[in-house]
Amino acid sequence: MRHEIPPRSGTAFTLDRGQRLTVIDPQGEQVADLLAFRRDDIDEVISSGRTLDYASRIFLTTGDKLYSNRSNVLLEIVADTVGRHDFLLTPCSADTFRIIYGDTEPHRGCFGNLAHALAPYGIGPDRIPVAFNVFMNVAVDGASGALEVRPPLSRAGDHVTFEAREDLIVGLTACSALQSNNYAFKPIQYEIA
Amino acid sequence: MRHEIPPRSGTAFTLDRGQRLTVIDPQGEQVADLLAFRRDDIDEVISSGRTLDYASRIFLTTGDKLYSNRSNVLLEIVADTVGRHDFLLTPCSADTFRIIYGDTEPHRGCFGNLAHALAPYGIGPDRIPVAFNVFMNVAVDGASGALEVRPPLSRAGDHVTFEAREDLIVGLTACSALQSNNYAFKPIQYEIA
């Protein structure tokens, strides 16, 4: 069964150990911010710092594992038709839109959408770390360190599949930030198998 | 007054708004992991994801601000004689030494040292995010995304000064990881003014 996350919104759901989550970009050039918490102890959550350290790489793809703050594997990437995602930046938020875009009445962003979706699971906004930003294309200049948010490389139908290594609570969005999605807000789809 | 953090250890202290913390590498090629929490609400902590997003750069130096998970500025870098530090990786831990170095009886690392030093302030280990790793030299290949931990560029006496923008609890280490410090463990010094 395929679920759809409308533009600029988010959701949360449980994923059992061994289940596979496929995140699909139905129209192309759309980002999905993904978070995963251990279901029986929500203080354990994916950690960009642990994961990038163990991978010795900032760009993750098929075969790479998403480690938690306690150095356990929570998710493994088992399929990826794109190969370029971001694990450096936190979900866009009202503050992002205020500080980067200068919005005076900012959208709550992926951060607000995730906080809303995760609240029923007892997960508060301060517990939201750097997300694994599926399809997000952030270029890094190795000399200057400059970051540049570029349009995703994903085309319509591209997808990434994650296998759960623990029982999880997952948060997932259709990203709300203009730069991330080449200035068009689109839905994200997902399937659980 | 100059304080010294012995090799492979850590400490924590308070820093008042407006005070300046200078972190000194007395012998050269030594890393110090730095964390800062808002003193009156320890759920607010420096955030690599927010900071790198707002700076649009992974390498931070004089004039750059360290933002919190709530997008407030906690520290500003006001002096820096080196100009190369890391804000991608979490503090080294027993798991780091087990997974990366294959140690069977691993040191507790900066993570364990920070957890121990921060415990009296009510800050638990799960609240330790990506640290600002002063003097840590992590090269990023923009094409492949490969990370490489190289010897610090710091020479004896090099230093970085941070000004507190809020009343803070600060954790600081003399890093315990071989790669980070060019395979020699040395002290770190600091001054508060």
Side-chain angles (χ1 to χ4, degrees), chain B residues 3-11 13 21-26 28-36 46 66 75 82 84-87 89-92 109-111 113-114 130-137 150-154 158-160 162 170-177 180-182 184-191:
Chain B
H3 307 266
E4 182 156 302
I5 305 173
R8 297 193 111 182
S9 74
T11 187
F13 47 84
L21 166 68
T22 298
V23 180
I24 303 137
D25 183 352
E29 296 191 337
Q30 175 62 32
V31 166
D33 288 13
L34 182 147
L35 292 175
I46 56 167
L66 305 194
L75 289 166
V82 178
R84 179 55 60 95
H85 316 284
D86 171 70
F87 208 6
L89 303 181
T90 27
C92 60
C110 286
F111 185 85
N113 287 330
L114 287 164
V130 172
F132 185 76
N133 302 307
V134 185
F135 309 127
M136 190 174 185
N137 182 12
R150 297 182 179 169
L153 301 181
S154 49
D158 272 327
H159 52 89
V160 181
F162 303 86
V170 171
L172 191 68
T173 71
C175 179
S176 308
S180 304
N181 312 306
N182 204 14
F185 303 123
K186 286 155 283 186
I188 282 289
Q189 296 177 344
Y190 67 96
E191 293 182 356

Side-chain angles (χ1 to χ4, degrees), chain A residues 41-44 47-54 56-59 67 69-71 84 88-93 95-96 98-100 111 125-128 130 140-149, chain B residues 41-44 47-54 56-59 67 69-71 84 88-93 95-96 98-100 111 125-128 130 140-149:
Chain A
D41 186 348
I42 57 174
D43 278 330
E44 185 165 1
S47 164
S48 65
R50 291 272 164 242
T51 300
L52 301 182
D53 201 5
Y54 299 148
S56 288
R57 204 165 359 92
I58 59 170
F59 300 134
Y67 283 85
N69 54 331
R70 298 181 194 164
S71 294
R84 178 55 60 94
L88 300 180
L89 304 180
T90 27
C92 61
S93 68
D95 293 307
T96 310
R98 183 175 53 76
I99 293 172
I100 294 182
F111 184 85
D126 289 327
R127 296 288 85 80
I128 294 178
V130 172
V140 179
D141 183 309
S144 68
L147 295 174
E148 190 188 351
V149 179
Chain B
D41 186 347
I42 58 174
D43 278 330
E44 185 165 0
S47 163
S48 64
R50 293 271 165 241
T51 299
L52 300 182
D53 200 6
Y54 299 149
S56 288
R57 205 167 356 95
I58 58 170
F59 300 133
Y67 284 85
N69 53 332
R70 298 180 194 166
S71 293
R84 179 55 60 95
L88 299 181
L89 303 181
T90 27
C92 60
S93 68
D95 294 306
T96 310
R98 184 175 51 77
I99 294 172
I100 294 182
F111 185 85
D126 288 326
R127 295 288 85 79
I128 295 178
V130 172
V140 179
D141 182 310
S144 68
L147 295 174
E148 190 188 352
V149 179

